[in-house]
């Protein structure tokens, strides 16, 4: 008996390809169900960090010297790296401050990590350069490459090692800033309601952070931390300035300026926040309209390369298989 032959399209077994695609789709469904079941609270880890910050502020104001030392412990590894980099004359105050600013934008609270970033920028180019030299020159992995290509590969590895920590921080900071930008108009609307209800600024920040913590965890974390600092810092202006320092967003800086002015001159908070909320909402709408206007031009290339060929295969595929089977039966 002759084995049953499956229909083919361009020399490819259609049933075999369909089976693989069905398996991939089933695996994607299982992963989606697993991700939906195992949803974690986005604020759990952040609440722990905020509680640590609250304890540090308590220790700095009302705690004894012994308790302050127990709560604010120095990182011995960071101290050793600092001493090593200082001995090599590669550690500068301006560089540390710049990296600490980027760490704050990325939501990383520990300032001693700036030393680790500088150490990584010094070590990673050497490590990746040695690996690239071993792969390109010593092991001769790519024998067809000329000297120029090998040098370009080696230089690319060294540059990547130097830029990798900064690119990583910038990527995290960019995602965090976008998440905060999306939730800021809603936060201001809730803050207006809290101000009109008679809540203080501290209570308003805490209430808004509690309501928006799950939808916008990054924004909820920043508002909660600001509420904690408003309760413990001696100058309330410092709490608002710390919020502006941690978030790389002009809208947040505008809110901070408004808060400082209302604290100093006693201007109505609700009316000022209502104006800012309307302005940020209009800005978000304009940004969405801009993206929608760019969408046809962006979708042209994917439409030509990916969507239209698949559409032709789906429409003409069965007819092509039938014609191929008819010709094969006539040849027999």
């Amino acid at each position: 008996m002759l084995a049953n032959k499956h229909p083919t399209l361009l020399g490819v077994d259609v049933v075999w390809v369909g089976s693989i695609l069905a398996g991939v789709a089933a695996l994607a469904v299982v992963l989606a169900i697993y991700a939906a079941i195992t949803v974690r609270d986005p604020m759990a880890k952040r609440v722990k960090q905020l509680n640590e910050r609250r304890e540090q502020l308590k220790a700095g104001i009302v705690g004894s010297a012994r308790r302050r030392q127990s709560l604010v412990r120095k990182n011995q590894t960071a101290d050793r790296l600092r001493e090593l980099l200082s001995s090599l004359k590669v550690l500068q105050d301006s560089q540390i401050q710049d990296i600490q600013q980027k760490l704050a934008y990325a939501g990383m609270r520990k300032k001693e990590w700036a030393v680790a970033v500088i150490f990584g920028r010094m070590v990673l180019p050497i490590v990746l350069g040695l690996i690239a030299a071993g792969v390109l020159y010593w092991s001769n992995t790519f024998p067809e490459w000329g000297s120029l290509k090998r040098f370009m590969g080696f230089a690319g590895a060294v540059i990547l090692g130097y830029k990798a920590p900064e690119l990583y921080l910038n990527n995290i900071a960019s995602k965090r800033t976008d998440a905060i930008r999306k939730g800021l108009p809603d936060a201001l609307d809730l803050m207006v309601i809290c101000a009109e209800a008679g809540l203080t600024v501290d209570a308003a920040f805490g209430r808004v952070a509690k309501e928006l913590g799950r939808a916008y965890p990054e924004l909820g974390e920043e508002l909660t931390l600001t509420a904690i600092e408003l309760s413990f810092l001696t100058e309330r202006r410092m709490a608002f300035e710390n919020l502006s320092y941690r978030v790389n967003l002009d809208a947040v800086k505008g809110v901070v300026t408004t808060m400082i002015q209302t604290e100093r001159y006693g201007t109505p908070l609700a009316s000022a926040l209502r104006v800012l909320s309307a302005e940020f909402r209009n800005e978000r709408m304009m940004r969405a309209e801009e993206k929608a206007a760019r969408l046809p031009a962006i979708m042209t290339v994917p439409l030509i390369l990916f969507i239209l060929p698949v559409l032709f295969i789906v429409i003409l595929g069965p007819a092509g298989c039938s014609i191929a089977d008819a010709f094969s039966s006539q040849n027999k």
Side-chain angles (χ1 to χ4, degrees), residues 117-133:
V117 173
I118 297 174
F119 182 76
R121 290 173 59 177
M122 184 182 67
V123 173
L124 282 178
I126 299 174
V127 175
L128 294 182
L130 290 176
I131 294 175

Side-chain angles (χ1 to χ4, degrees), residues 160-325:
L160 178 63
Y162 181 77
K163 289 292 185 181
E166 186 175 358
L167 292 175
Y168 177 73
L169 290 178
N170 291 336
N171 186 25
I172 296 179
S174 177
K175 292 180 180 179
R176 182 180 177 82
T177 302
D178 292 339
I180 293 175
R181 183 188 291 112
K182 291 179 181 178
L184 188 59
D186 298 334
L188 290 180
D189 288 338
L190 289 177
M191 203 169 295
V192 169
I193 296 173
C194 293
E196 291 178 345
L199 294 180
T200 61
V201 178
D202 309 5
F205 270 87
R207 184 65 179 178
V208 173
K210 182 179 179 181
E211 294 294 332
L212 296 180
R214 291 184 177 274
Y216 306 103
E218 295 83 3
L219 181 59
E221 178 186 2
E222 294 297 337
L223 295 180
T224 305
L225 185 56
T226 304
I228 293 172
E229 292 181 344
L230 284 172
S231 302
F232 288 100
L233 290 179
T234 55
E235 295 184 8
R236 299 169 64 86
R237 180 189 180 96
M238 294 175 59
F240 295 125
E241 289 178 351
N242 289 339
L243 176 61
S244 177
Y245 175 81
R246 294 191 302 267
V247 181
N248 185 21
L249 197 61
D250 293 335
V252 173
K253 292 178 173 58
V255 174
V256 167
T257 303
T258 303
M259 290 291 182
I260 294 175
Q261 289 178 354
T262 55
E263 289 282 338
R264 176 180 296 180
Y265 302 110
T267 56
L269 178 61
S271 58
L273 291 179
R274 187 180 292 109
V275 173
L276 287 176
S277 176
E279 181 182 351
F280 296 156
R281 219 171 266 285
N282 292 333
E283 182 182 355
R284 187 169 65 176
M285 183 62 66
M286 291 175 60
R287 192 178 296 109
E289 291 176 354
E290 181 183 355
K291 289 183 179 181
R294 292 203 312 260
L295 189 61
I298 296 175
M299 287 296 295
T300 301
V301 176
L303 180 66
I304 296 174
L305 294 180
F306 302 105
I307 299 178
L308 291 180
V310 174
L311 184 63
F312 290 151
I313 291 174
V314 170
I315 295 175
L316 302 178
C321 293
S322 301
I323 295 172
D325 294 338

